[in-house]
Amino acid sequence: MELTLIGTGTCSPVKDRTPACYFLRVGTSRIIIDPGPGAVSRIAHRGLDPMDVDAIFLSHHHLDHSADVAPWLFSYKYCLGPNSAGSDQPRRDPLIVAPEGFRKIYDGLLDVYGSMMLSDDYKVQIEEVNRTEWEWPGGLSFRSIPMLHFIPSVGYLFKKPDGPALAYSGDTGFCEELVELAAMADALLVECSLPDERRMEGHMTPSDVARVGMESGVGKLILTHFYPMMDPRAAVETIRAAGYSGEIIAGEDGMVVGI
Ligand SMILES: [Zn+2]
Ligand SMILES: [Zn+2]
């Protein structure tokens, strides 16, 4: 598994950190996780093809995690290149996996943009998930578990048969469900939004991350979703000082992590 951190920031605009987006390669499968604003061009900027993917997974519908769904569908229809409608390559039906409420948002986007997002060449597939498990042809398996955020939100587990598994928290506060998810994974991509002294419900602090790491026993933490007041190095120090002994990676935009 190869995880590219496209965006490790939030809705707060800062110079060197862009909003949420991750690109996961597992064997021949390609997955976009949380296409926040600008994700389509930011993925291309990292040398990856945002159009050549098997699915888009959304953790929740806050715009810093989902704003580029419409631009992605627009590009999928009109872009020129190996995946363009004019090429010989057949167009795959795009799959969007998201928590409850996405279908309503999608219908609203269709009301506004209509045929700009639709084509006779393929059909957009939508899966609304809650506590859901399923397998893809090729053996990749997925699991979603509801998290603790302001709106319906899920964390995901991406697993290769007899291979590694990656868990992703999406946005969440500390909850037993996140511990449950992380306990099944080799690595946890986890939000670390705010320092302990600026704690906010629905988000994680370094102490919360340490607790999840230790209670789940997950061997690797990949920290992401830093608000500007969260110094990533300080986050790593706090997690270490709390007693977590596994590997800790402070995510940066463009970082590639093997799992
Ligand atoms: Zn967020
Ligand atoms: Zn959020």
Side-chain angles (χ1 to χ4, degrees), residues 65-240:
H65 297 254
S66 65
D68 250 29
V69 167
W72 188 92
L73 289 166
F74 182 75
S75 287
Y76 197 68
K77 177 169 183 177
Y78 291 113
C79 72
L80 299 176
N83 287 301
S84 76
S87 80
D88 294 335
Q89 191 172 328
R91 308 278 279 173
R92 284 177 288 176
D93 291 344
L95 170 64
I96 302 174
V97 180
E100 167 196 342
F102 180 73
R103 203 171 285 280
K104 192 173 168 211
I105 290 169
Y106 181 73
D107 288 345
L109 290 170
L110 284 184
D111 277 349
V112 176
Y113 297 117
S115 62
M116 280 186 248
M117 291 183 13
L118 295 173
S119 167
D120 292 335
D121 296 334
Y122 51 83
K123 188 171 178 341
V124 177
Q125 312 284 325
I126 293 171
E127 286 281 346
E128 282 195 356
V129 294
N130 184 15
R131 186 176 270 272
T132 309
E133 276 180 63
W134 74 107
E135 279 202 13
W136 256 357
L140 256 188
S141 67
F142 304 88
R143 187 187 289 250
S144 59
I145 298 183
M147 294 287 122
L148 186 65
H149 200 43
F150 310 104
I151 57 174
S153 186
V154 295
Y156 289 107
L157 185 81
F158 303 92
K159 180 162 178 28
K160 237 178 137 174
D162 305 321
L166 169 72
Y168 171 51
S169 66
D171 280 6
T172 186
F174 177 88
C175 56
E176 290 306 323
E177 290 78 3
L178 181 55
V179 176
E180 178 188 348
L181 193 73
M184 293 182 272
D186 299 278
L188 172 65
L189 174 62
V190 59
E191 74 127 285
C192 188
S193 292
L194 295 158
D196 286 298
E197 60 275 18
R198 298 285 297 269
R199 175 181 296 281
M200 185 197 290
E201 225 173 281
H203 283 298
M204 301 279 285
T205 69
S207 295
D208 295 329
V209 174
R211 189 175 161 199
V212 170
M214 290 188 286
E215 289 187 13
S216 67
V218 68
K220 185 190 282 200
L221 297 171
I222 306 158
L223 312 182
T224 187
H225 201 268
F226 299 112
Y227 276 98
M229 59 285 269
M230 182 71 259
D231 173 1
R233 280 168 305 178
V236 172
E237 282 168 21
T238 303
I239 294 166
R240 192 62 80 205

Side-chain angles (χ1 to χ4, degrees), residues 23 30-32 49-56 72 76 83 92 94:
F23 195 95
R30 308 273 183 276
I31 296 163
I32 297 173
D49 183 351
M51 300 292 105
D52 183 17
V53 294
D54 299 283
I56 297 173
W72 188 92
Y76 197 68
N83 287 301
R92 284 177 288 176

Side-chain angles (χ1 to χ4, degrees), residues 2-6 22-25 30-31 39-53 256:
E2 184 189 89
L3 175 70
T4 304
L5 309 180
I6 305 292
Y22 312 94
F23 195 95
L24 183 64
R25 297 204 277 188
R30 308 273 183 276
I31 296 163
V40 170
S41 55
R42 289 189 282 128
I43 291 168
H45 176 67
R46 297 297 174 186
L48 300 162
D49 183 351
M51 300 292 105
D52 183 17
V53 294
V256 180

